[in-house]
């Protein structure tokens, strides 16, 4: 570890504080804007201290919003993010298990096919995917939001790498103990992967929560909007004026669940880094 | 309790034949050690008995029943692995109980069996700990415990002591032997350490490149090795080999003579120069180099004079102690 003393220490801290202020200031402004009234925002200078309309603005946003109640959008986002995170983890675990522990024809081929899809971002395949989902009649549905994003090459690859570090003897010991493959998977492999799963969950939840383009394409009814894209939908078209306090309240609300997930999982996350049990 | 029979057991990986036909009848309660250098196929042989590796041809019979196509769990065996293979997220208790849980043994009986095994292995205070909180020797005991609780017909050990330090290895070796005596379970034990093999075995299989060079009681194998390889592998320091051409009155091939059977003499059968001498207390090992560069070791009592380095000595031995081997390394009687 590099040891810093005197000026060096102060400079480092100064750098960090400036950096944090830089990132935090817009969020603070959004928070302030969500606690005042519309005319306070549009008339310069913009206030820098919170007003007294916190409960009023948030209650209005949650219950009625602009196009749809924010509570509904929050729920949609939650379903989508959880569906994507849990689905991706389940599918990746199973496919990594198959690739590492079973010998079947085309095993390498399938692995490389999965790996190949890493190179194709959602945007590249979004039009054909839309076509498929539309033909299945999944527009404006949770399945439509979740299914196209549920497979993950990254997670499969990660679990594959982890499983390959698990000693073969462990699988053999389980076999001698009489565990069938799926029993081994659930009793031994899954508990051993729990810190990896926790880390991935955090990443994938945020990935799912922050999806913008896909929900924008396939949800046309405001009741199915997710919150991240819903914010954009709140901006008026034409000559209507934007109701900034509600929009800002929605922005703040959209930030809360990922923050909760990160803080809540932090302990497990760090334990995963410190603990080395294999 | 059971007998184990291997009949012309062979294993090939692709075109390489790693086990070239092994035959042995292991009696009920017998402790058989498979010993050989790395890569000789000894672990593969054990894994075929365990069912973790399929036999290419030949038969494995446990208690008279052919088990070639039987899954490991149904073979009534228990295995102790080199790196212990304990489940890291389970407590010691759960590690030992796992196999029984799968067999759907009733909970009170599981608890009782684990307790009995833990008592036997002095693991009682550690039952609720995780493997990573245990020392190497304790982990080794847990691995043994996991094998014991299943009350198997056969124990299989795959180099169980090679991850332990030297002192602990000697101690665990004694414990394994005592335990096996007490339980009377037929055991197959793989090791590359010939001392372990000598001390543990009722009978040992000396493997060399996929072939069982010799099968027999440790002292018989030591006293009467069947091949040059066995003579060189079993015994420490190893047997001295001397080209017969250097000696008067010997036919072709090589002769082998154990270090304890050679003595330093004024007039010897062969001349050699002392390279260095190791005084070990009870005995002294004198390392010499013969005329053709051949290394020769003499083991002598500590009371005898220790020659200085660079001194030239004659080496003498009793003709009765000489083992003669032909060009192919087979013993000539």
């Amino acid at each position: 570890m590099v040891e810093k003393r005197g000026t060096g220490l102060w400079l480092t801290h100064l750098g960090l504080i400036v950096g944090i202020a830089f990132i935090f200031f817009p969020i603070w402004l959004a928070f302030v804007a969500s606690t005042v009234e519309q005319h306070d925002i549009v008339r310069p200078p913009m206030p820098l201290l919170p007003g007294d309309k916190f409960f009023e603005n948030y209650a209005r946003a949650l219950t009625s919003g602009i196009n749809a109640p924010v509570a509904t959008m929050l729920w949609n986002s939650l379903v989508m993010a959880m569906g994507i995170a849990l689905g991706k983890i389940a599918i990746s675990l199973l496919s990594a298990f198959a690739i590492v522990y079973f010998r079947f024809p085309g095993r390498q081929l399938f692995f490389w096919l999965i790996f190949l899809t890493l190179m194709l971002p959602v945007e590249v395949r979004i039009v054909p995917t839309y076509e498929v989902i539309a033909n299945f009649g999944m527009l404006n549905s949770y399945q439509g939001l979740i299914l196209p994003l549920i497979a993950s090459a990254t997670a499969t690859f990660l679990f594959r790498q982890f499983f390959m570090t698990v000693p073969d003897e462990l699988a053999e010991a389980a076999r001698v103990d009489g565990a069938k493959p799926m029993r081994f998977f659930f009793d031994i492999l899954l508990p051993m992967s729990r810190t990896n799963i926790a880390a991935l969950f955090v990443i994938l939840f945020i990935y799912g929560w922050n999806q913008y383009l896909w929900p924008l394409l396939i949800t046309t009814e405001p009741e199915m909007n997710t919150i991240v894209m819903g914010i954009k939908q709140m901006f008026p078209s034409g000559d209507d004026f934007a109701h900034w306090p509600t929009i800002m309240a929605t922005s703040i609300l959209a930030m809360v669940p990922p923050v909760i997930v990160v803080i809540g999982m932090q302990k497990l996350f760090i334990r995963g880094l410190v603990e080395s049990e294999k | 309790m059971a007998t184990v029979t291997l009949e012309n057991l062979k294993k090939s990986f692709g075109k390489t034949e790693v086990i070239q036909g092994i035959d042995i009848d292991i009696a009920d309660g017998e402790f058989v050690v498979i010993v050989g250098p790395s890569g000789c196929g000894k672990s593969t042989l054990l894994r075929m008995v365990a069912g973790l590796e399929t036999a290419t041809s030949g038969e494995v019979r446990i208690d008279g029943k052919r088990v070639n196509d039987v899954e490991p769990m149904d073979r009534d065996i228990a295995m102790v692995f080199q790196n212990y293979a304990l489940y890291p997220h389970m407590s010691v208790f759960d590690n030992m109980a796992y196999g029984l849980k799968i067999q759907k043994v009733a909970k009170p009986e599981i608890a009782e069996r684990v307790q009995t095994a833990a008592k036997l292995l002095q693991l009682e205070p550690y039952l609720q700990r995780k493997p990573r909180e245990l020392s190497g020797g304790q982990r080794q005991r847990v691995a043994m415990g996991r094998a014991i609780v299943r009350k198997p017909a056969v124990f299989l050990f795959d180099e169980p002591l090679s991850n332990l330090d030297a002192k602990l290895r000697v101690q665990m070796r004694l414990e394994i032997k005592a335990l096996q005596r007490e339980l009377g379970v037929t055991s197959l034990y793989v090791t590359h350490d010939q001392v372990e093999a000598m001390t543990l075995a009722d009978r040992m299989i000396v493997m060399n490149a996929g072939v069982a060079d010799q099968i027999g009681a440790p002292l018989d194998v030591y006293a009467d090795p069947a091949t040059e390889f066995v003579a060189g592998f079993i015994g420490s320091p190893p047997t001295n080999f001397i080209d017969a051409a250097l000696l008067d009155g010997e036919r072709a091939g090589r002769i082998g003579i154990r270090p304890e059977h050679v003595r330093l003499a004024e007039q010897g059968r062969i001349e050699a120069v002392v390279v260095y001498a190791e005084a070990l207390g009870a005995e002294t090992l004198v390392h010499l180099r013969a005329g053709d560069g051949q290394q020769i070791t003499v083991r002598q009592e500590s009371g005898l004079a220790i020659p200085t380095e660079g001194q030239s000595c004659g080496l003498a031995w009793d003709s009765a102690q000489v083992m003669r081997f032909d060009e192919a390394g087979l013993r000539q009687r």
Side-chain angles (χ1 to χ4, degrees):
Chain A
M1 205 185 255
V2 184
E3 213 175 312
K4 297 233 165 164
R5 285 206 187 89
T7 2
L9 190 76
W10 286 106
L11 273 178
T12 331
H13 276 83
L14 192 71
L16 288 172
I17 289 164
V18 169
I20 289 171
F22 225 76
I23 291 173
F24 187 70
F25 185 65
I27 299 174
W28 175 251
L29 268 193
F31 178 70
V32 169
S34 72
T35 58
V36 295
E37 285 190 59
Q38 173 80 356
H39 59 80
D40 293 326
I41 300 174
V42 288
R43 185 188 58 212
M46 206 196 141
L48 288 175
L49 289 173
D52 56 356
K53 297 285 183 283
F54 177 84
F55 290 105
E56 203 184 310
N57 287 340
Y58 279 81
R60 190 174 54 237
L62 279 172
T63 51
S64 58
I66 291 175
N67 300 313
V70 174
T72 312
M73 297 200 290
L74 274 174
W75 173 248
N76 292 342
S77 275
L78 187 73
V79 171
M80 183 183 180
M82 289 297 274
I84 289 176
L86 296 179
K88 268 182 195 275
I89 288 171
I91 292 174
S92 310
L93 271 169
L94 285 171
S95 29
F97 180 56
I99 285 170
V100 175
Y101 285 94
F102 293 88
R103 240 163 270 285
F104 52 89
R107 174 163 157 262
Q108 283 299 319
L109 179 78
F110 281 112
F111 173 69
W112 286 111
L113 280 179
I114 293 173
F115 201 63
L116 216 68
T117 61
L118 268 178
M119 297 166 198
L120 299 174
V122 180
E123 291 72 17
V124 172
R125 54 184 165 89
I126 205 153
V127 175
T129 312
Y130 179 84
E131 182 73 14
V132 170
I133 293 298
N135 287 342
F136 274 128
M138 286 185 189
L139 297 180
N140 289 311
S141 72
Y142 289 135
Q143 302 94 290
L145 280 171
I146 295 168
L147 282 181
L149 300 170
I150 207 169
S152 166
T154 325
T156 308
F157 188 68
L158 209 113
F159 283 125
R160 172 187 179 260
Q161 296 308 97
F162 171 68
F163 287 168
M164 291 196 342
T165 66
V166 173
D168 287 344
E169 273 100 341
L170 225 50
E172 289 173 349
R175 217 173 133 200
V176 173
D177 267 342
K180 296 257 170 27
M182 285 321 283
R183 179 110 200 216
F184 167 70
F185 177 74
F186 284 114
D187 284 358
I188 318 279
L189 224 42
L190 211 55
M192 281 179 74
S193 329
R194 69 180 188 284
T195 47
N196 289 45
I197 293 174
L200 257 181
F201 178 81
V202 173
I203 295 165
L204 295 178
F205 182 87
I206 292 169
Y207 166 85
W209 187 268
N210 288 342
Q211 282 301 314
Y212 176 72
L213 191 57
W214 182 248
L216 192 66
L217 270 182
I218 76 147
T219 62
T220 46
E221 290 165 19
E223 283 70 40
M224 283 308 295
N225 283 357
T226 61
I227 191 157
V228 175
M229 61 155 296
I231 296 171
K232 175 74 175 77
Q233 302 295 79
M234 288 176 164
F235 288 102
S237 48
D239 292 337
D240 296 348
F241 64 90
H243 197 264
W244 291 110
T246 314
I247 295 175
M248 288 303 150
T250 311
S251 301
I252 296 292
L253 283 171
M255 261 182 266
V256 172
V259 170
I260 291 175
V261 166
V262 169
I263 292 174
M265 303 285 269
Q266 207 174 23
K267 231 179 194 165
L268 211 58
F269 209 70
I270 290 171
R271 217 175 68 200
L273 297 178
V274 178
E275 215 170 64
S276 68
E277 44 166 9
K278 241 165 240 166
Chain B
M1 314 298 118
T3 61
V4 176
T5 308
L6 308 183
E7 203 176 283
N8 199 17
L9 199 59
K10 289 184 184 174
K11 173 76 188 177
S12 308
F13 290 115
K15 282 198 173 121
T16 347
E17 203 173 33
V18 289
I19 305 276
Q20 303 169 9
I22 303 273
D23 289 275
I24 187 175
D25 277 304
I26 300 171
D28 186 13
E30 197 176 10
F31 198 126
V32 172
V33 176
I34 307 168
V35 64
S38 36
C40 70
K42 56 191 190 302
S43 279
T44 311
L45 182 63
L46 189 80
R47 291 163 58 81
M48 281 198 284
V49 178
L52 295 171
E53 213 70 78
T54 52
T56 309
S57 71
E59 275 198 6
V60 179
R61 286 196 292 271
I62 294 176
D63 223 6
K65 283 190 291 287
R66 185 178 189 274
V67 292
N68 285 38
D69 308 314
V70 176
E71 271 291 302
M73 58 175 149
D74 301 321
R75 290 189 181 198
D76 206 7
I77 50 137
M79 188 152 171
V80 178
F81 293 87
Q82 179 173 357
N83 63 4
Y84 323 133
L86 301 178
Y87 310 124
H89 59 288
M90 292 189 192
S91 66
V92 169
F93 182 95
D94 289 333
N95 259 288
M96 297 213 264
Y98 187 58
L100 300 179
K101 269 183 199 153
I102 291 177
Q103 288 173 26
K104 298 204 167 64
V105 176
K107 274 211 171 120
E109 200 193 328
I110 293 181
E112 192 210 303
R113 281 214 225 169
V114 173
Q115 281 298 340
T116 317
K119 201 168 179 179
L120 197 65
L121 295 161
Q122 295 139 39
L123 280 173
E124 279 168 311
Y126 310 112
L127 279 177
Q128 295 314 317
R129 293 213 195 160
K130 295 277 172 66
R132 66 168 177 279
E133 297 163 318
L134 300 177
S135 69
Q138 288 162 344
R139 285 181 207 187
Q140 174 58 50
R141 285 205 190 93
V142 178
M144 300 271 301
R146 189 165 66 179
I148 292 172
V149 291
R150 302 189 50 207
K151 298 189 179 166
V154 183
F155 278 145
L156 303 173
F157 299 90
D158 190 1
E159 308 218 16
L161 303 183
S162 52
N163 283 4
L164 300 178
D165 63 57
K167 199 174 166 191
L168 205 53
R169 201 178 306 163
V170 174
Q171 185 195 336
M172 286 306 292
R173 193 166 79 201
L174 295 172
E175 281 182 31
I176 288 180
K177 182 75 179 171
L179 206 62
Q180 197 266 346
R181 282 267 162 76
E182 190 173 331
L183 301 170
V185 178
T186 313
S187 301
L188 255 173
Y189 185 109
V190 163
T191 180
H192 62 265
D193 180 349
Q194 54 97 16
V195 179
E196 239 168 66
M198 293 291 289
T199 48
L200 285 171
D202 290 329
R203 265 197 304 164
M204 60 202 235
I205 306 175
V206 187
M207 300 250 324
N208 176 23
V211 179
D213 261 21
Q214 192 168 7
I215 299 174
L219 286 178
D220 293 346
V221 173
Y222 183 84
D224 195 12
T227 66
E228 189 174 327
F229 171 80
V230 176
F233 190 76
I234 302 296
S236 171
T239 302
N240 301 305
F241 293 102
I242 302 167
D243 216 318
L246 293 176
L247 301 163
D248 293 332
E250 292 290 347
R251 284 162 297 162
R254 310 223 292 162
I255 67 143
I257 181 88
R258 293 224 179 254
E260 60 267 36
H261 296 143
V262 189
R263 49 180 198 279
L264 303 175
E266 297 276 308
Q267 281 294 306
R269 295 172 186 237
I270 188 172
E271 285 286 310
V273 177
V274 177
V275 180
Y276 62 97
E278 293 175 296
L280 301 176
E283 62 188 21
T284 305
L285 300 179
V286 185
H287 300 273
L288 305 102
R289 187 175 292 122
D292 62 340
Q294 175 70 51
Q295 290 276 352
I296 296 173
T297 308
V298 175
R299 172 189 262 162
Q300 63 176 25
E301 302 269 324
S302 60
L304 297 173
I306 300 171
T308 53
E309 287 170 19
Q311 190 184 335
S312 187
C313 294
L315 297 177
W317 56 78
D318 195 345
S319 294
Q321 306 287 7
V322 171
M323 304 173 273
R324 294 180 178 80
F325 302 98
D326 66 13
E327 299 296 341
L330 289 177
R331 181 85 179 267
Q332 303 293 297
R333 311 270 172 187

